[in-house]
Amino acid sequence: MVSMDEDPSAREFLTTYNGAKITPIANRDKSLLSEKDVEKTRKAEEDATGAKIELKVYKRRWLQLGLFFIYALSNDPHWTQFSSIGKTISRYYSVSPTTVSWTSSILQVTYVVMIMPVCCMIDRVGLRWACLIGSIGISIGSWIIFWSLSPDRFVTVVLGQLVITFSQVFSLTGPVKLVALWFGPNQVATATSIAFFGGPLGIGLSFFVTRMILRNHDNVEDIGRELSPVFLSAAAFSTVVTIALFLFFQDEPLVPPSRATALQVTHSKVEDTRFWSTVKRVMTNKSFFAVWNTYGMGYGLFSTMCYMLNPYFLDHFENGEEDVGRLGILVVIAGYFCSFTFGIILDKTKQFKELGVFIYIFLLVGEILFAVGLRMEIRWLMLTGFMIFGLFAASYGSLGFELVGEVVYPELEDAYAGLLMFGNQLYGGIFSVIISSLLRNYGEIVVHGFAIAVLSLGLATSGFTEIELKRQNVEKHPNEGYNVDTPLKPLKS
């Protein structure tokens, strides 16, 4: 291995970053580091000096991905578990439908308030403990909700839901961090699409199974008997997932899977990459800000339209609750294959910008068909429009994180992923307020006009934003230096 003292250029790289003086890795007391950190530091030094670096893609990565997938599967359904059967829950607990809908809305509020502090905590405790803390909290909240199965215990339901929503924040940056730590450069987008789709699949299955089991009986006691297996199965499944994570889920591999990840190790060892310092740099990145707005508008609008789908549909079509349930599971299943396909295409072509524009075009097409179908009360057209809209919105979820990962590289995943999710929830909350107000005061035509205007703005932003693929530059030009802030041959998309 090349010594740091033998290579002045390597020492200069490690002692100067963004104009700030930092402590060289080579001068650090390695006796204070764990065995894993010593190995990571040695690899980082080799990378910085231009020496041959050892990379390894572990077979265990698929087990890691599978465990996270089932964790997300048990996690996200709690978001909509009450609002999806709002009328039945309203009757059982003798509360208003608006009160029931707040069991979903508090998640958006919690995300906006807690996302950045929790991401800072995740940066300190690591991926494994973040997932365990989240899963334990979801299990506890699920059992609280199961014990609240009585018409006079809605306050207990809210308590359980609050515990769950706080715990769910710990899973937000998981897919990005997991994939960056375990997967090589040719599988990153595919793995990200799989990791992100556990949650939507869980929501879709929850819609389907709950509507299969639960009926809006005249007798409240009959509703309680059917709610019991729904709540019990959710609590038991969350507990099993927690045990599986504790026994089998690991934090990160000993050897990095890619050159890009190896370079991040170097930055993670210096003071300038502390969480809040990273947040400041990311927020001043113009490309990040453009992607942040584009992603927030598209995904935030999708989450709002999902929330409004039930009242939209029932206002135009009688006995449409079962159709909404079928549509939800269809969008999720088809969206999974669409997202997975786009992940493979992205890994093969690296056409981030082009794929983003393509997806936004179909978001706009889907919304127009959805609006026309509702206005003319053509059921098949409305369902087709929403399915197109949902398919491409689901696909944009994983693409957005990969795109941001490129433009802000080599910054920490926790920081930029947290900011991206913050934007998603912020836009979702703003759109919920605006659309509810427009629907109440002006009708659905104005609402759809607003949605089309938002998507048109997002499409224009996607088309005119210059994207510098910094992470790809490291992989494609490994011998041209590692100062990714000023790449010698920047790749454009």
Side-chain angles (χ1 to χ4, degrees):
M1 183 178 71
V2 179
S3 166
M4 301 297 291
D5 295 324
E6 295 171 359
D7 192 338
S9 62
R11 175 173 295 281
E12 181 181 356
F13 172 80
L14 288 175
T15 55
T16 304
Y17 178 65
N18 283 350
K21 292 295 180 181
I22 55 178
T23 304
I25 294 172
N27 290 349
R28 298 225 174 156
D29 185 358
K30 294 187 177 66
S31 65
L32 300 178
L33 302 177
S34 66
E35 180 181 347
K36 182 167 68 173
D37 284 339
V38 170
E39 179 67 10
K40 288 171 64 179
T41 302
R42 182 179 70 80
K43 302 302 178 187
E45 290 173 352
E46 290 181 354
D47 192 24
T49 58
K52 183 177 180 181
I53 180 170
E54 180 185 354
L55 304 175
K56 183 175 180 179
V57 180
Y58 292 80
K59 292 181 180 179
R60 185 184 179 84
R61 68 191 186 281
W62 296 110
L63 174 61
Q64 292 285 111
L65 184 60
L67 287 169
F68 188 88
F69 185 89
I70 63 170
Y71 168 46
L73 196 70
S74 70
N75 181 337
D76 283 23
H78 295 285
W79 176 27
T80 58
Q81 65 177 336
F82 295 114
S83 60
S84 64
I85 49 173
K87 289 185 177 180
T88 304
I89 294 296
S90 176
R91 287 191 59 242
Y92 182 73
Y93 287 103
S94 299
V95 295
S96 69
T98 303
T99 303
V100 175
S101 69
W102 265 101
T103 61
S104 296
S105 301
I106 57 175
L107 181 63
Q108 289 180 318
V109 177
T110 303
Y111 275 5
V112 171
V113 174
M114 296 302 301
I115 180 61
M116 297 314 296
V118 168
C119 284
C120 182
M121 181 178 175
I122 293 172
D123 178 54
R124 294 180 179 274
V125 303
L127 178 62
R128 181 175 186 270
W129 277 108
C131 292
L132 279 173
I133 292 170
S135 189
I136 290 169
I138 290 168
S139 299
I140 293 172
S142 299
W143 285 111
I144 291 174
I145 289 175
F146 174 67
W147 291 328
S148 72
L149 198 59
S150 175
D152 60 346
R153 296 180 184 172
F154 188 72
V155 174
T156 310
V157 171
V158 175
L159 174 62
Q161 194 71 357
L162 282 172
V163 173
I164 288 173
T165 53
F166 175 77
S167 303
Q168 284 178 317
V169 182
F170 283 85
S171 69
L172 290 180
T173 63
V176 183
K177 198 171 184 69
L178 171 71
V179 172
L181 291 173
W182 286 90
F183 284 82
N186 294 325
Q187 293 179 330
V188 168
T190 304
T192 302
S193 67
I194 295 173
F196 267 104
F197 216 78
L201 181 60
I203 292 175
L205 291 174
S206 175
F207 263 84
F208 182 74
V209 173
T210 302
R211 291 178 182 277
M212 289 285 292
I213 296 175
L214 192 62
R215 295 290 184 271
N216 195 3
H217 297 283
D218 293 332
N219 190 339
V220 173
E221 292 182 359
D222 291 335
I223 296 176
R225 277 193 290 269
E226 292 185 352
L227 279 173
S228 180
V230 173
F231 290 170
L232 179 60
S233 60
F237 184 47
S238 298
T239 304
V240 171
V241 170
T242 301
I243 295 171
L245 290 175
F246 181 79
L247 293 176
F248 304 112
F249 196 70
Q250 292 185 354
D251 196 7
E252 57 184 296
L254 195 62
V255 180
S258 66
R259 305 188 72 88
T261 302
L263 178 57
Q264 279 185 310
V265 173
T266 303
H267 289 279
S268 70
K269 296 297 179 183
V270 300
E271 295 176 11
D272 209 20
T273 55
R274 289 176 299 180
F275 181 81
W276 293 110
S277 298
T278 303
V279 169
K280 291 179 183 178
R281 285 197 304 275
V282 169
M283 291 182 68
T284 56
N285 185 313
K286 293 181 180 179
S287 295
F288 167 79
F289 190 70
V291 177
W292 185 83
N293 279 291
T294 304
Y295 179 83
M297 287 187 289
Y299 216 69
L301 186 63
F302 173 61
S303 62
T304 304
M305 298 300 280
C306 285
Y307 176 73
M308 299 295 295
L309 178 61
N310 204 44
Y312 269 150
F313 199 93
L314 296 180
D315 283 347
H316 290 273
F317 306 102
E318 294 182 0
N319 303 319
E321 290 185 341
E322 291 188 5
D323 283 337
V324 172
R326 294 191 192 100
L327 179 61
I329 189 65
L330 183 61
V331 166
V332 166
I333 293 175
Y336 171 79
F337 291 104
C338 190
S339 179
F340 184 71
T341 301
F342 282 153
I344 294 175
I345 293 173
L346 194 58
D347 278 329
K348 298 291 185 183
T349 65
K350 309 300 182 185
Q351 300 297 314
F352 290 83
K353 178 178 176 179
E354 291 78 3
L355 195 57
V357 171
F358 178 79
I359 288 175
Y360 243 100
I361 289 172
F362 277 90
L363 286 176
L364 189 57
V365 169
E367 164 58 28
I368 292 172
L369 293 177
F370 176 61
V372 173
L374 272 179
R375 184 61 182 170
M376 300 183 67
E377 296 190 347
I378 304 174
R379 187 184 296 249
W380 68 266
L381 184 61
M382 173 266 182
L383 294 174
T384 301
F386 189 82
M387 190 167 75
I388 292 173
F389 183 72
L391 290 182
F392 286 90
S395 303
Y396 196 53
S398 57
L399 173 66
F401 279 87
E402 286 304 297
L403 189 54
V404 167
E406 291 288 339
V407 301
V408 303
Y409 178 82
E411 305 295 5
L412 298 170
E413 291 86 4
D414 295 324
Y416 71 74
L419 286 169
L420 202 58
M421 290 303 297
F422 173 81
N424 177 17
Q425 298 304 321
L426 181 63
Y427 268 107
I430 292 172
F431 287 162
S432 294
V433 173
I434 293 175
I435 286 177
S436 297
S437 177
L438 291 177
L439 186 63
R440 182 173 57 253
N441 295 316
Y442 301 102
E444 65 181 39
I445 294 179
V446 177
V447 170
H448 289 297
F450 172 76
I452 291 171
V454 168
L455 292 173
S456 299
L457 179 60
L459 176 59
T461 305
S462 297
F464 290 108
T465 301
E466 287 246 343
I467 302 298
E468 186 177 304
L469 305 181
K470 295 182 178 181
R471 192 166 54 185
Q472 297 303 316
N473 186 61
V474 170
E475 299 294 341
K476 288 183 176 293
H477 304 288
N479 298 320
E480 296 188 4
Y482 289 95
N483 188 353
V484 293
D485 290 322
T486 54
L488 297 180
K489 292 184 178 180
L491 302 176
K492 297 290 184 179
S493 177

mmCIF file of all heavy atoms in Angstrom, residues 34-55:
data_model
loop_
_atom_site.group_PDB
_atom_site.id
_atom_site.type_symbol
_atom_site.label_atom_id
_atom_site.label_comp_id
_atom_site.label_asym_id
_atom_site.label_seq_id
_atom_site.Cartn_x
_atom_site.Cartn_y
_atom_site.Cartn_z
ATOM 1 N N SER A 34 -12.660 0.672 15.627
ATOM 2 C CA SER A 34 -12.999 -0.741 15.632
ATOM 3 C C SER A 34 -12.297 -1.438 14.467
ATOM 4 O O SER A 34 -11.768 -0.789 13.558
ATOM 5 C CB SER A 34 -14.512 -0.920 15.487
ATOM 6 O OG SER A 34 -14.924 -0.460 14.209
ATOM 7 N N GLU A 35 -12.317 -2.773 14.499
ATOM 8 C CA GLU A 35 -11.659 -3.530 13.430
ATOM 9 C C GLU A 35 -12.268 -3.201 12.075
ATOM 10 O O GLU A 35 -11.560 -3.044 11.082
ATOM 11 C CB GLU A 35 -11.798 -5.035 13.705
ATOM 12 C CG GLU A 35 -11.138 -5.912 12.653
ATOM 13 C CD GLU A 35 -11.323 -7.390 12.949
ATOM 14 O OE1 GLU A 35 -11.741 -7.713 14.069
ATOM 15 O OE2 GLU A 35 -11.050 -8.193 12.048
ATOM 16 N N LYS A 36 -13.587 -3.038 12.044
ATOM 17 C CA LYS A 36 -14.248 -2.726 10.782
ATOM 18 C C LYS A 36 -13.844 -1.341 10.279
ATOM 19 O O LYS A 36 -13.589 -1.148 9.092
ATOM 20 C CB LYS A 36 -15.768 -2.798 10.957
ATOM 21 C CG LYS A 36 -16.545 -2.533 9.682
ATOM 22 C CD LYS A 36 -17.997 -2.910 9.834
ATOM 23 C CE LYS A 36 -18.713 -1.999 10.790
ATOM 24 N NZ LYS A 36 -20.173 -2.258 10.829
ATOM 25 N N ASP A 37 -13.738 -0.356 11.207
ATOM 26 C CA ASP A 37 -13.349 0.987 10.806
ATOM 27 C C ASP A 37 -11.898 1.045 10.337
ATOM 28 O O ASP A 37 -11.553 1.822 9.444
ATOM 29 C CB ASP A 37 -13.555 1.965 11.963
ATOM 30 C CG ASP A 37 -15.014 2.311 12.164
ATOM 31 O OD1 ASP A 37 -15.785 2.126 11.196
ATOM 32 O OD2 ASP A 37 -15.394 2.734 13.264
ATOM 33 N N VAL A 38 -11.034 0.235 10.962
ATOM 34 C CA VAL A 38 -9.639 0.174 10.518
ATOM 35 C C VAL A 38 -9.567 -0.322 9.086
ATOM 36 O O VAL A 38 -8.846 0.220 8.242
ATOM 37 C CB VAL A 38 -8.803 -0.736 11.445
ATOM 38 C CG1 VAL A 38 -7.423 -0.979 10.843
ATOM 39 C CG2 VAL A 38 -8.663 -0.097 12.821
ATOM 40 N N GLU A 39 -10.352 -1.364 8.788
ATOM 41 C CA GLU A 39 -10.358 -1.916 7.431
ATOM 42 C C GLU A 39 -10.905 -0.893 6.437
ATOM 43 O O GLU A 39 -10.343 -0.692 5.356
ATOM 44 C CB GLU A 39 -11.209 -3.195 7.394
ATOM 45 C CG GLU A 39 -11.317 -3.863 6.024
ATOM 46 C CD GLU A 39 -9.990 -4.434 5.562
ATOM 47 O OE1 GLU A 39 -9.045 -4.486 6.373
ATOM 48 O OE2 GLU A 39 -9.900 -4.814 4.386
ATOM 49 N N LYS A 40 -11.975 -0.200 6.830
ATOM 50 C CA LYS A 40 -12.559 0.806 5.941
ATOM 51 C C LYS A 40 -11.587 1.968 5.714
ATOM 52 O O LYS A 40 -11.471 2.496 4.616
ATOM 53 C CB LYS A 40 -13.867 1.323 6.533
ATOM 54 C CG LYS A 40 -15.017 0.344 6.488
ATOM 55 C CD LYS A 40 -16.200 0.838 7.275
ATOM 56 C CE LYS A 40 -16.761 2.101 6.687
ATOM 57 N NZ LYS A 40 -17.941 2.589 7.427
ATOM 58 N N THR A 41 -10.873 2.355 6.774
ATOM 59 C CA THR A 41 -9.915 3.448 6.653
ATOM 60 C C THR A 41 -8.773 3.073 5.726
ATOM 61 O O THR A 41 -8.319 3.880 4.908
ATOM 62 C CB THR A 41 -9.371 3.821 8.041
ATOM 63 O OG1 THR A 41 -10.464 4.180 8.884
ATOM 64 C CG2 THR A 41 -8.414 5.002 7.947
ATOM 65 N N ARG A 42 -8.297 1.833 5.857
ATOM 66 C CA ARG A 42 -7.219 1.374 4.980
ATOM 67 C C ARG A 42 -7.674 1.421 3.528
ATOM 68 O O ARG A 42 -6.935 1.870 2.645
ATOM 69 C CB ARG A 42 -6.810 -0.060 5.358
ATOM 70 C CG ARG A 42 -5.643 -0.589 4.518
ATOM 71 C CD ARG A 42 -5.277 -1.993 4.944
ATOM 72 N NE ARG A 42 -6.294 -2.946 4.581
ATOM 73 C CZ ARG A 42 -6.422 -3.459 3.344
ATOM 74 N NH1 ARG A 42 -5.621 -3.063 2.370
ATOM 75 N NH2 ARG A 42 -7.365 -4.330 3.084
ATOM 76 N N LYS A 43 -8.907 0.985 3.263
ATOM 77 C CA LYS A 43 -9.415 1.019 1.895
ATOM 78 C C LYS A 43 -9.544 2.455 1.398
ATOM 79 O O LYS A 43 -9.273 2.754 0.241
ATOM 80 C CB LYS A 43 -10.787 0.323 1.826
ATOM 81 C CG LYS A 43 -10.766 -1.123 2.288
ATOM 82 C CD LYS A 43 -9.804 -1.953 1.481
ATOM 83 C CE LYS A 43 -9.760 -3.378 1.991
ATOM 84 N NZ LYS A 43 -8.698 -4.164 1.322
ATOM 85 N N ALA A 44 -9.963 3.353 2.286
ATOM 86 C CA ALA A 44 -10.107 4.756 1.898
ATOM 87 C C ALA A 44 -8.762 5.371 1.551
ATOM 88 O O ALA A 44 -8.633 6.153 0.607
ATOM 89 C CB ALA A 44 -10.770 5.544 3.028
ATOM 90 N N GLU A 45 -7.723 5.021 2.327
ATOM 91 C CA GLU A 45 -6.396 5.545 2.047
ATOM 92 C C GLU A 45 -5.892 5.057 0.695
ATOM 93 O O GLU A 45 -5.288 5.804 -0.078
ATOM 94 C CB GLU A 45 -5.436 5.121 3.157
ATOM 95 C CG GLU A 45 -5.701 5.830 4.485
ATOM 96 C CD GLU A 45 -4.840 5.264 5.606
ATOM 97 O OE1 GLU A 45 -4.168 4.235 5.370
ATOM 98 O OE2 GLU A 45 -4.836 5.856 6.700
ATOM 99 N N GLU A 46 -6.126 3.785 0.399
ATOM 100 C CA GLU A 46 -5.714 3.250 -0.895
ATOM 101 C C GLU A 46 -6.429 3.972 -2.027
ATOM 102 O O GLU A 46 -5.826 4.307 -3.054
ATOM 103 C CB GLU A 46 -6.019 1.749 -0.965
ATOM 104 C CG GLU A 46 -5.136 0.905 -0.075
ATOM 105 C CD GLU A 46 -5.469 -0.577 -0.201
ATOM 106 O OE1 GLU A 46 -6.448 -0.908 -0.882
ATOM 107 O OE2 GLU A 46 -4.743 -1.386 0.366
ATOM 108 N N ASP A 47 -7.713 4.230 -1.819
ATOM 109 C CA ASP A 47 -8.482 4.923 -2.859
ATOM 110 C C ASP A 47 -7.957 6.330 -3.092
ATOM 111 O O ASP A 47 -7.815 6.790 -4.218
ATOM 112 C CB ASP A 47 -9.956 4.973 -2.408
ATOM 113 C CG ASP A 47 -10.869 5.412 -3.516
ATOM 114 O OD1 ASP A 47 -10.482 5.233 -4.691
ATOM 115 O OD2 ASP A 47 -11.945 5.921 -3.209
ATOM 116 N N ALA A 48 -7.666 7.047 -2.007
ATOM 117 C CA ALA A 48 -7.217 8.425 -2.127
ATOM 118 C C ALA A 48 -5.844 8.537 -2.757
ATOM 119 O O ALA A 48 -5.536 9.518 -3.421
ATOM 120 C CB ALA A 48 -7.192 9.069 -0.740
ATOM 121 N N THR A 49 -4.985 7.542 -2.548
ATOM 122 C CA THR A 49 -3.628 7.609 -3.092
ATOM 123 C C THR A 49 -3.529 7.056 -4.500
ATOM 124 O O THR A 49 -2.462 7.063 -5.100
ATOM 125 C CB THR A 49 -2.664 6.820 -2.187
ATOM 126 O OG1 THR A 49 -3.115 5.472 -2.089
ATOM 127 C CG2 THR A 49 -2.589 7.440 -0.803
ATOM 128 N N GLY A 50 -4.644 6.527 -5.019
ATOM 129 C CA GLY A 50 -4.599 5.981 -6.366
ATOM 130 C C GLY A 50 -4.129 4.547 -6.401
ATOM 131 O O GLY A 50 -3.972 3.970 -7.467
ATOM 132 N N ALA A 51 -3.865 3.935 -5.233
ATOM 133 C CA ALA A 51 -3.450 2.535 -5.208
ATOM 134 C C ALA A 51 -4.621 1.646 -5.565
ATOM 135 O O ALA A 51 -5.775 2.060 -5.519
ATOM 136 C CB ALA A 51 -2.923 2.187 -3.819
ATOM 137 N N LYS A 52 -4.323 0.420 -5.882
ATOM 138 C CA LYS A 52 -5.371 -0.524 -6.255
ATOM 139 C C LYS A 52 -6.291 -0.753 -5.064
ATOM 140 O O LYS A 52 -5.837 -1.035 -3.957
ATOM 141 C CB LYS A 52 -4.758 -1.845 -6.700
ATOM 142 C CG LYS A 52 -5.795 -2.857 -7.174
ATOM 143 C CD LYS A 52 -5.134 -4.127 -7.666
ATOM 144 C CE LYS A 52 -6.205 -5.110 -8.141
ATOM 145 N NZ LYS A 52 -5.599 -6.366 -8.613
ATOM 146 N N ILE A 53 -7.569 -0.632 -5.293
ATOM 147 C CA ILE A 53 -8.526 -0.763 -4.208
ATOM 148 C C ILE A 53 -9.300 -2.071 -4.352
ATOM 149 O O ILE A 53 -9.664 -2.475 -5.459
ATOM 150 C CB ILE A 53 -9.499 0.425 -4.191
ATOM 151 C CG1 ILE A 53 -10.501 0.288 -3.043
ATOM 152 C CG2 ILE A 53 -10.248 0.565 -5.508
ATOM 153 C CD1 ILE A 53 -11.329 1.520 -2.835
ATOM 154 N N GLU A 54 -9.535 -2.716 -3.237
ATOM 155 C CA GLU A 54 -10.275 -3.974 -3.246
ATOM 156 C C GLU A 54 -11.766 -3.683 -3.149
ATOM 157 O O GLU A 54 -12.208 -2.936 -2.268
ATOM 158 C CB GLU A 54 -9.838 -4.839 -2.057
ATOM 159 C CG GLU A 54 -10.571 -6.169 -1.989
ATOM 160 C CD GLU A 54 -10.213 -6.964 -0.746
ATOM 161 O OE1 GLU A 54 -9.314 -6.516 -0.005
ATOM 162 O OE2 GLU A 54 -10.820 -8.009 -0.526
ATOM 163 N N LEU A 55 -12.530 -4.253 -4.051
ATOM 164 C CA LEU A 55 -13.986 -4.116 -4.052
ATOM 165 C C LEU A 55 -14.603 -5.502 -3.999
ATOM 166 O O LEU A 55 -14.052 -6.460 -4.540
ATOM 167 C CB LEU A 55 -14.466 -3.380 -5.299
ATOM 168 C CG LEU A 55 -13.880 -1.997 -5.574
ATOM 169 C CD1 LEU A 55 -14.369 -1.472 -6.911
ATOM 170 C CD2 LEU A 55 -14.235 -1.033 -4.460
#
